[in-house]
Amino acid sequence: MNSLIFAAFSRILFSVMLVVSVYVLYRGHNEPGGGFVGGLIAAAGFATLALARGVEVARATLRFEPMTVIGFGILAALLSGLPGLWLDGSFLTHQWLVLGNFHLGTTLLFDIGVYLVVLGGILSLILRFYEDL
């Protein structure tokens, strides 16, 4: 696509989609949303960038291969279960730290893992598809 308007607007749209995806990622602990939906929104942002400016730009913006992102996501999800195993004797029993209205727990690490797995998986498919076009 050689649309100048789409190419110019894609950077703004990409940035907005990433900010929204991180918001949805964090919000998912107390309301619907979380890692899966946030990862889909982030992948849509990268897909928009790849469609407007090319796969090379999207890959350069990502800075990692999508399969590496999947690996980091699986590692984060696996590590999120270990504190429960050590403290409670049960894998994936999540632990929480509450500081006022800010809740920080191992569920956030699990959701980050899901976010990265979804982002890497969708981008593997989309970027490969765009390269074949």
Side-chain angles (χ1 to χ4, degrees), residues 34-122:
F36 187 80
V37 176
L40 287 176
I41 294 169
F46 278 101
T48 302
L49 195 62
L51 185 61
R53 295 179 167 235
V55 175
E56 299 80 24
V57 173
R59 284 190 185 275
T61 304
L62 184 60
R63 293 194 176 109
F64 293 103
E65 283 296 315
M67 294 304 287
T68 305
V69 174
I70 292 172
F72 283 132
I74 291 172
L75 182 64
L78 182 76
L79 290 176
S80 74
L82 295 180
L85 184 63
W86 291 325
L87 298 174
D88 237 3
S90 180
F91 187 70
L92 282 179
T93 300
H94 293 291
Q95 308 299 317
W96 289 92
L97 176 64
V98 179
L99 302 170
N101 286 338
F102 186 71
H103 297 172
L104 185 63
T106 56
T107 54
L108 181 60
L109 183 58
F110 181 80
D111 269 347
I112 290 170
V114 171
Y115 179 94
L116 292 174
V117 168
V118 170
L119 176 63
I122 297 297

Side-chain angles (χ1 to χ4, degrees), residues 8-21 41-50 57-58 61-62 119 123:
F9 189 67
S10 67
R11 275 286 188 202
I12 297 168
L13 187 60
F14 169 73
S15 300
V16 169
M17 290 178 94
L18 278 186
V19 168
V20 168
S21 76
I41 294 169
F46 278 101
T48 302
L49 195 62
V57 173
T61 304
L62 184 60
L119 176 63
L123 284 182

